[in-house]
Structure formats: C-alpha cells, structure tokens
Amino acid sequence: MTDAPHLTPRARARQQTMRDIVRIGREHLATEGAAALSLRAVARDLGLVSSAVYRYVASRDELLTLLVVDGYDELGDAVDAALARVDASDHAERMRVIGRAVRAWALAEPATYALLFGSPVPGYEAPAEQTTGPGTRVVVRLVEVWEDAWRAGAVAVDDASLAPRRLSRDLARIRGQLGITAPDALIARGLFAWAALFGCVSFEVFGQYGADTFGDPQDLFEQHLDALVESVGLV
C-alpha cells in the first residue's frame, strides 16, 4: 500500500489509516493471537471510536484477510530481495536462499507465520480471490528455480518412476497453470521440497524440536536445505 502523488489529501489519509490498522492488527496478533483478534480493540489503540473503524474495515474477518495478505506480501518481498543478490544460474543456491529467507522471516514474525501456516482460525476462511496470488509467491519462485534448472539441463530426473495416471493429470494441470515444461517427476519432487521446507520451518517456529535439543537450529536447517536440493535433483 503506497502513496500515489495523484491522491487527494483525504485519500492519502485513508491510506495511512489502513496502514495503521494493519500495523496495530499485527501487534495484537502477536500479543493476543488470531482467534482473539478484536476490531474494537484495534480501533481503541488507533484512537477511533469502534463505530468509526467500520468505515475502513467491515469485520474481524476482513481484518484477518488484510493481515493474511500483508503477511504473504512481506514474506514474498523478503524472498525476492534475497534472490536479487544471487546468481540466477546457480539453481541450487537459489533454492537454499529461498529457504533461508523463509526461515529468517518466520523466526522474526512468528505470530504472522502462524496465521499463514499454523492452525486455522475458528470461523474464518480466507477468500481465495484475495489471498491466492500473494499466498503463492514463494512457491512460484521455487517453481522458477526448478523450471530454469530443467531448461538448462542442470537437474537429474529419474524418468523410470512415472506418476499414477490421476496424479499425472493433476501435475499436467499445474504445468499448464504455471506455464512450465518440467516433467512429472520433477514437479512431484519440487512439491515435496516445498512442503518439506515449510515443515522444517514450522517445526522450529513452533518449538517442536524442544528448547535445548540443538545448540543452533540453523545448523540442522542447513543440513535440511542440502537434503531438499538433493531430493529435487539439482546438480
């Protein structure tokens, strides 16, 4: 949400208020949790009467959607910024950089990460038309790595392991939607790596390893990244 020079003062003021609502909403998300998020409490911290805030955000669910989109966009921006510093021809390093950027953002923003990738918020369903685009930014970057590697002949795929017919149809649909040429085996491996990456990050963010199991969990994460790069077949 950025200012535009053609906006009227009133429109700019509204834009700033919306930014403040999202900022305070994320603060409440961190302290109260998504299920307890209250639009009236956000209005109070913003200095508005509760009736006034509804001119900007109609409901708690709309506030949650704003926070979901904001979180996905912030995560996507972090990944894009990290990728901008990497040689595009180094496919394995691009994949590692994506993983590191996801982990760093998740550890810095655990409450927003939990909203995006944790347990569903009771009674809330994210509207696909608003959240699918922002929510798929990271996986699209991963797909670009695998597709670029395939086109460059820098990925080893065992064609002997053919996908079952129903899965192959699903993978063909994904191939068409994303405009990629990679074969079934590579897409399936890539989907495994995507799920495993977020599983590794979630284990750390949600404390599933235990407090004292590892001196520095990043050491384990780097091992996991190497295994994921290998599983996709990047060479």
Side-chain angles (χ1 to χ4, degrees), residues 88-89 91-92 94-95 98 139-155 157 171 174-176 178-184 186-187 189-191 232 234:
S89 66
H91 311 295
R94 285 166 65 193
M95 187 170 167
I98 291 171
V139 70
V140 166
R141 293 293 174 264
L142 286 168
V143 169
E144 289 170 353
V145 173
W146 309 326
E147 174 70 2
D148 289 349
W150 170 251
R151 289 175 179 267
V155 61
V157 177
L171 297 177
I174 292 171
R175 188 181 294 107
L178 297 178
I180 58 179
T181 62
D184 285 0
L186 179 53
I187 298 174
R189 289 184 186 186
L191 293 173
V232 174
L234 297 180

Side-chain angles (χ1 to χ4, degrees), residues 26-231:
R26 284 183 63 166
E27 291 173 359
H28 284 213
L29 187 67
T31 57
E32 308 298 329
L37 199 64
S38 164
L39 194 52
R40 290 189 175 188
V42 170
R44 183 180 61 244
D45 284 3
L46 190 59
L48 294 175
V49 297
S50 57
S51 58
V53 78
Y54 292 103
R55 295 202 300 265
Y56 300 92
V57 181
S59 65
R60 181 210 69 156
D61 282 7
E62 187 173 316
L63 175 60
L64 280 169
T65 298
L66 288 172
L67 299 183
V68 167
V69 171
D70 186 65
Y72 277 138
D73 279 340
E74 192 173 275
L75 173 58
D77 288 346
V79 167
D80 285 350
L83 284 171
R85 300 188 292 269
V86 182
D87 181 353
S89 66
D90 191 341
H91 311 295
E93 185 60 16
R94 285 166 65 193
M95 187 170 167
R96 291 187 181 93
V97 162
I98 291 171
R100 291 173 189 138
V102 169
R103 175 181 180 268
W105 182 84
L107 291 175
E109 300 290 343
T112 302
Y113 181 87
L115 175 63
L116 303 183
F117 303 106
S119 299
V121 180
Y124 171 72
E125 184 174 349
E129 66 276 8
Q130 293 175 253
T131 59
T132 298
T136 54
R137 284 179 61 182
V138 173
V139 70
V140 166
R141 293 293 174 264
L142 286 168
V143 169
E144 289 170 353
V145 173
W146 309 326
E147 174 70 2
D148 289 349
W150 170 251
R151 289 175 179 267
V155 61
V157 177
D158 180 8
D159 289 327
S161 54
L162 297 177
R165 181 175 298 177
R166 183 167 57 187
L167 175 58
S168 186
R169 287 198 299 266
D170 293 337
L171 297 177
R173 186 177 65 254
I174 292 171
R175 188 181 294 107
Q177 289 171 343
L178 297 178
I180 58 179
T181 62
D184 285 0
L186 179 53
I187 298 174
R189 289 184 186 186
L191 293 173
F192 161 75
W194 171 41
L197 168 62
F198 279 88
C200 293
V201 171
S202 293
F203 251 60
E204 188 172 352
V205 171
F206 301 139
Q208 296 300 311
Y209 291 125
D212 303 316
T213 305
F214 299 104
D216 187 346
Q218 184 173 357
D219 297 336
L220 178 64
F221 186 73
E222 289 296 323
Q223 291 291 315
H224 287 160
L225 284 179
D226 289 342
L228 294 178
V229 168
E230 183 180 353
S231 73

Side-chain angles (χ1 to χ4, degrees), residues 1-4 7-25 42 46 48 53 56-57 66:
M1 195 180 296
T2 58
D3 286 322
L7 292 179
T8 65
R10 179 173 181 151
R12 282 197 294 272
R14 179 179 180 83
Q15 197 174 68
Q16 181 59 54
T17 300
M18 292 297 294
R19 280 196 292 262
D20 290 340
I21 288 172
V22 170
R23 174 180 55 80
I24 294 170
V42 170
L46 190 59
L48 294 175
V53 78
Y56 300 92
V57 181
L66 288 172

